Amino acid sequence: MWSGLSKSGSRAKLVVASVCLLGGCAIAPTPPSWFSGSVFEEITNSEEYADFLAARYAGMSGQPVAAAGFYRRAFERSPGDPALLERAAFAMLISGETQGAVAVAQAADPKVATQAPTAQLALVIDDITMNRGKRALQRLKTTNLGGINGDIAGYLTAWLTAADNADQGLALLAQLPARRVSAAEQLCIEGLIELQAGRDDKALEAFAQASKLPSGAQDIIAGLHAQLVASSGRDLAAARQLVLAQVEKSGATSETDRMLTLLEAGEPAPRPKFTLAEGAAFIVYVASSSGVARSSPEMSTMRNSLVLRLNPDYAPARLALADALKEEERAEDAIAVLHAVPAGSPWSAEARLQEAWLLDGLHRSDEAMAAAAQALVASHRRDILVGVADLDRLNGSFADAKKIYDEIAAADLSSGQADWRILFARATASNGLGDWKGAEKDLVAALALEPDRPELQNYLGYAWVERGEKVKEGMDLIRKAAAARPDQGYIVDSLGWAHYRLGEYDEAVDNLEHAAELSPSDPEVIDHLGDAYWRAGRETEAQFEWRRALKLGSDAKRKANLREKLDKGLPPRALSSLADAQRPGQ
């Protein structure tokens, strides 16, 4: 809790301010009878407490810009409180107001500012951006950036020291506490320092070692290594093999695409070089690709915002920042960040695809489809194709989706690496187009690759039972799926509905009641339960479930069907070949 709350009456202040904040009152509330007039007067004059609470509430409500504004105002009212400065700086960085964080830290009393680690970090980054390396280094050596920023503080100290003396920078890097650093990151930064010192052989050795270790930025490290190998007439074939090895290990990325395009020109690649700020941006990005920054969207937002302050053109940081903003449910902010990646960038396809999914989540389907089309124009890399096809399929554009899945499946077939997920996705697209035979073929092939995959067992088994084909085999598959995923409502629903289709209404009710407990907001599950109740002679309960399904918001076809059932009930049960002729075991 904020240190300023040690004053007398602080508990009362928090109570009143909380009531006002949550109630949205525009004037001071009437004091309760147990308040004395003098205490209440003190409360109403303590605006900084209200600003603090408003900031906390805004932050918890997913409004970082508002939170930053309130924290900043609270600090301006209590400029001697370093905890408020720390909160203000952090909130401004995660809201995207990097320059604002710098400004508030610069305006603060130096004695206060030195006690706010995030404010100090913002000042260090600003100094480097403005090419004040010595000033940034002095700040790093004389202030505490906090334990959570210990890794980048150590890395930046080594980098800035190496600008004048590479060996001293390397010595500082080697002395960093093991608990604060990653071996891969440390070797990568060692290679960066050797590269800047013109000692390419040592840089290559460091990059080679770093590439073998786990890291959140492994493709970036491998790309830097390969580019140095390919520079100045070095071995282009060896460089290409390094990139292909990275693709084999972790899959193709925008960085590996960039390097392969560079190498396919058949000419020596440009030797990697970094300005002081570009090197710092690279270091902060690499350090932020793993550890606490990767696990916390707020920390990732803060750090990648600082990377872009150092180097606004560093597209990998834009994509990482957009990912973090998406996790914070800040889709509009994420779209704005991605939109700044230009069309000619090696990362443009990835940026456009991320934009497409974010726009789709905001129900801006036309814009989403346009962004997806731009992604396809920029690249036909496998992950881009899969992302666009999945988006098409989920939006009901089954023909477009199937066309892309066909392309992916053909490439998989030629490489001898069939992927059950692609076959499954193509099957759902084919089924959406009314091509059940094509869908069935892909599902059977996918199940041959992954015979114990519950998703496949459930989909194929349900389809067989629903269509009255291979009912026994279908029930066997659904039972296996339900045994493997007893906590998945949609799978338990399939089992209950299969019993229903077979006329086994008591078993259907048991399973569908359980499915409704697992998925209480799924209108299809609730609709199925209503049908089972009706057939079991529990008509009042059936109507209750149908009304509930209607309120949950179904598609137009289901709504019409539900209204008809509420009006007329289910028609008399006809003799069913499923129930009477194809029961399992017969």
Side-chain angles (χ1 to χ4, degrees):
M1 182 57 71
W2 169 30
S3 60
L5 295 181
S6 59
K7 297 177 182 178
S8 64
S10 60
R11 185 180 181 86
K13 293 172 186 177
L14 281 172
V15 170
V16 174
S18 296
V19 171
C20 184
L21 176 63
L22 295 175
C25 46
I27 58 174
T30 302
S33 59
W34 44 267
F35 274 100
S36 67
S38 60
V39 171
F40 185 73
E41 183 178 344
E42 181 185 356
I43 294 167
T44 57
N45 289 332
S46 298
E47 293 94 343
E48 65 268 26
Y49 294 102
D51 286 335
F52 174 76
L53 288 172
R56 289 289 301 275
Y57 182 76
M60 290 186 292
S61 302
Q63 301 177 60
V65 175
F70 281 121
Y71 276 130
R72 181 171 186 169
R73 194 165 71 179
F75 175 65
E76 288 169 352
R77 296 183 192 278
S78 297
D81 193 330
L84 272 181
L85 175 59
E86 175 66 9
R87 286 180 179 271
F90 186 81
M92 294 177 90
L93 287 174
I94 67 171
S95 72
E97 296 181 57
T98 311
Q99 185 53 46
V102 171
V104 75
Q106 287 175 334
D109 184 318
K111 292 181 180 179
V112 175
T114 55
Q115 300 176 63
T118 302
Q120 284 302 307
L121 178 59
L123 291 174
V124 167
I125 295 300
D126 184 61
D127 283 337
I128 298 172
T129 303
M130 304 306 293
N131 204 31
R132 298 190 295 258
K134 294 189 186 318
R135 185 168 166 180
L137 184 57
Q138 180 65 18
R139 197 183 298 278
L140 284 165
K141 290 180 176 179
T142 57
T143 57
N144 179 13
L145 268 63
I148 203 165
N149 293 317
D151 55 347
I152 58 175
Y155 293 151
L156 290 175
T157 300
W159 172 247
L160 295 172
T161 300
D164 288 329
N165 188 315
D167 290 331
Q168 281 186 17
L170 291 169
L172 286 171
L173 186 65
Q175 292 168 13
L176 293 178
R179 63 185 174 82
R180 287 190 177 182
V181 299
S182 150
E185 293 160 10
Q186 193 164 6
L187 281 164
C188 179
I189 295 160
E190 178 184 327
L192 194 65
I193 291 172
E194 297 284 17
L195 177 68
Q196 290 299 90
R199 302 191 297 228
D200 288 6
D201 288 343
K202 290 186 176 181
L204 285 168
E205 183 181 344
F207 291 144
Q209 292 181 53
S211 297
K212 296 175 184 176
L213 297 173
S215 166
Q218 206 167 50
D219 62 331
I220 300 292
I221 296 171
L224 185 57
H225 182 200
Q227 187 169 341
L228 183 56
V229 169
S231 67
S232 304
R234 293 173 185 267
D235 194 339
L236 295 178
R240 190 170 188 278
Q241 191 54 47
L242 288 171
V243 178
L244 292 176
Q246 176 60 31
V247 171
E248 180 69 23
K249 180 165 46 175
S250 305
T253 66
S254 297
E255 171 63 13
T256 58
D257 273 5
R258 180 187 76 86
M259 280 307 306
L260 288 173
T261 301
L262 195 65
L263 295 170
E264 283 166 5
E267 299 176 0
R271 184 178 179 276
K273 61 180 181 179
F274 298 84
T275 65
L276 192 72
E278 289 169 345
F282 181 87
I283 288 167
V284 177
Y285 173 78
V286 169
S288 301
S289 298
S290 57
V292 66
R294 192 172 180 86
S295 61
S296 163
E298 290 80 11
M299 281 295 295
S300 180
T301 298
M302 183 196 80
R303 287 193 172 190
N304 283 294
S305 294
L306 292 174
V307 173
L308 294 174
R309 168 72 175 164
L310 290 160
N311 184 0
D313 296 328
Y314 197 57
R318 288 199 173 276
L319 271 73
L321 177 56
D323 276 338
L325 291 169
K326 178 185 175 184
E327 287 189 52
E328 294 177 60
E329 298 183 354
R330 295 167 59 186
E332 293 284 6
D333 290 341
I335 291 168
V337 166
L338 291 166
H339 205 64
V341 178
S345 167
W347 285 267
S348 64
E350 195 172 343
R352 298 296 87 79
L353 182 59
Q354 282 195 37
E355 277 185 65
W357 279 96
L358 289 164
L359 289 162
D360 186 68
L362 295 173
H363 307 293
R364 292 156 60 179
S365 299
D366 290 344
E367 292 174 77
M369 293 297 101
Q374 291 172 1
L376 277 185
V377 169
S379 174
H380 267 231
R381 195 172 70 222
R382 192 178 194 277
D383 61 310
I384 303 297
L385 290 171
V386 171
V388 174
D390 286 347
L391 188 62
D392 283 337
R393 175 171 54 84
L394 293 174
N395 277 279
S397 299
F398 299 120
D400 292 336
K402 185 178 181 300
K403 183 178 179 182
I404 300 174
Y405 289 134
D406 285 344
E407 180 180 342
I408 301 168
D412 290 348
L413 184 63
S414 66
S415 66
Q417 296 180 328
D419 187 337
W420 72 270
R421 291 163 296 191
I422 297 302
L423 294 173
F424 186 19
R426 185 169 67 173
T428 63
S430 295
N431 200 29
L433 290 169
D435 178 15
W436 165 244
K437 288 302 179 185
E440 184 182 37
K441 181 180 178 181
D442 275 342
L443 289 166
V444 170
L447 201 59
L449 294 171
E450 290 281 335
D452 297 322
R453 185 67 60 175
E455 300 94 321
L456 290 169
Q457 293 168 336
N458 177 69
Y459 193 99
L460 181 56
Y462 182 89
W464 274 341
V465 171
E466 181 70 6
R467 296 174 65 84
E469 302 169 1
K470 302 182 181 178
V471 176
K472 181 180 183 305
E473 294 92 328
M475 280 295 289
D476 288 344
L477 286 175
I478 295 171
R479 286 195 177 98
K480 287 178 182 178
R485 296 282 192 274
D487 58 343
Q488 294 294 312
Y490 76 99
I491 291 179
V492 178
D493 172 72
S494 293
L495 182 59
W497 192 243
H499 280 299
Y500 176 90
R501 293 280 289 136
L502 290 166
E504 299 165 352
Y505 300 125
D506 289 340
E507 293 92 335
V509 166
D510 288 344
N511 284 284
L512 290 169
E513 284 179 336
H514 184 43
E517 292 171 357
L518 294 169
S519 301
S521 300
D522 188 329
E524 182 174 13
V525 173
I526 306 305
D527 185 9
H528 284 172
L529 177 57
D531 287 4
Y533 277 148
W534 184 276
R535 292 298 186 205
R538 298 162 63 175
E539 296 180 1
T540 301
E541 291 165 279
Q543 290 181 328
F544 175 83
E545 298 302 333
W546 288 334
R547 288 191 192 95
R548 190 153 73 98
L550 195 59
K551 290 178 182 178
L552 286 170
S554 306
D555 59 61
K557 183 178 179 182
R558 185 179 299 279
K559 283 182 178 179
N561 183 256
L562 284 165
R563 290 191 181 100
E564 184 174 355
K565 287 190 287 190
L566 284 166
D567 184 43
K568 301 178 181 178
L570 291 177
R573 179 188 159 221
L575 291 177
S576 167
S577 59
L578 281 182
D580 300 331
Q582 297 192 58
R583 290 179 185 273
Q586 289 188 3

